[in-house]
């Protein structure tokens, strides 16, 4: 596999401004940046809720948001994208990758899995798509653009 690089595309000023003066809502993923426990992953017309892992990698990924990545297809089970900067790692072999896992491979490769399978590779968890019912359909079998916010 050749190492391919993609550059995150930061959305333009159409993003709503941060609401720093409002009290954060609880339990619905609309907390402010410091207390955010979930994010949205948008693929075309599909939007998925993602629960962050409780680690430094997920915290560093949050600081990149919002970000749009053009992700490459690999092995009929994942989409990946090498980013320009490194994130903190604490990699381990999960044994089984589950559909919906969002992982970091090495220190700069974001991976979204849409199939469940056994693995011998090590990853650092970033998060997990909460409802994967339409994930495979949304990601398709070709390269795809995914927005994380």
């Amino acid at each position: 596999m050749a190492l391919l690089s993609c550059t995150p595309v930061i959305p333009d000023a159409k993003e709503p401004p941060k609401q720093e003066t409002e009290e954060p809502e609880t339990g619905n993923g609309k907390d402010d940046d410091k207390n955010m426990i979930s994010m949205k992953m948008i693929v075309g017309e599909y939007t998925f809720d993602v629960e962050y892992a409780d680690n430094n990698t997920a915290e560093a990924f949050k600081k990149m948001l919002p970000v749009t990545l053009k992700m490459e297809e690999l092995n009929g089970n994942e989409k990946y994208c090498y980013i320009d900067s490194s994130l903190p790692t604490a990699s381990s072999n999960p044994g089984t990758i589950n559909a919906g896992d969002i992982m970091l491979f090495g220190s700069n490769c974001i991976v979204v899995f849409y199939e469940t399978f056994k693995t011998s590779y090590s990853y650092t968890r970033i998060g997990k798509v909460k409802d994967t019912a339409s994930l495979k359909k949304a990601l398709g079998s070709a390269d795809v653009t995914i927005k994380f916010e």
Side-chain angles (χ1 to χ4, degrees):
M1 173 177 91
L3 297 181
L4 301 175
S5 179
C6 70
T7 303
V9 178
I10 306 299
D12 59 24
K14 294 179 184 174
E15 292 295 320
K18 292 181 184 175
Q19 299 176 359
E20 297 176 8
T21 58
E22 292 184 19
E23 288 297 315
E25 299 176 32
T26 57
N28 62 6
K30 294 184 179 179
D31 298 341
D32 67 7
D33 287 349
K34 292 181 185 176
N35 298 314
M36 190 183 330
I37 58 170
S38 67
M39 71 174 150
K40 300 285 185 196
M41 182 177 86
I42 303 165
V43 185
E45 64 189 52
Y46 296 90
T47 300
F48 301 93
D49 289 323
V50 176
E51 185 174 313
Y52 284 111
D54 185 17
N55 62 32
N56 291 335
T57 307
E59 288 296 321
F61 189 72
K62 284 182 200 180
K63 292 177 182 174
M64 293 174 53
L65 303 182
V67 65
T68 300
L69 303 174
K70 180 173 167 55
M71 302 190 78
E72 309 259 344
E73 167 63 31
L74 184 65
N75 298 328
N77 61 18
E78 68 188 76
K79 304 295 185 189
Y80 74 97
C81 176
Y82 282 90
I83 57 174
D84 292 335
S85 59
S86 293
L87 298 178
T89 64
S91 61
S92 64
N93 179 315
T96 300
I97 295 290
N98 292 296
D101 284 345
I102 301 173
M103 307 282 230
L104 180 68
F105 180 73
S107 64
N108 68 337
C109 183
I110 308 297
V111 186
V112 177
F113 293 96
Y114 58 90
E115 292 283 349
T116 297
F117 62 95
K118 299 282 185 196
T119 186
S120 60
Y121 292 100
S122 293
Y123 300 90
T124 304
R125 183 170 301 283
I126 294 173
K128 171 87 174 148
V129 174
K130 292 181 183 180
D131 181 359
T132 61
S134 57
L135 183 62
K136 184 175 181 177
K137 182 178 181 181
L139 293 176
S141 60
D143 298 350
V144 67
T145 299
I146 299 177
K147 180 176 183 178
F148 297 94
E149 56 182 34

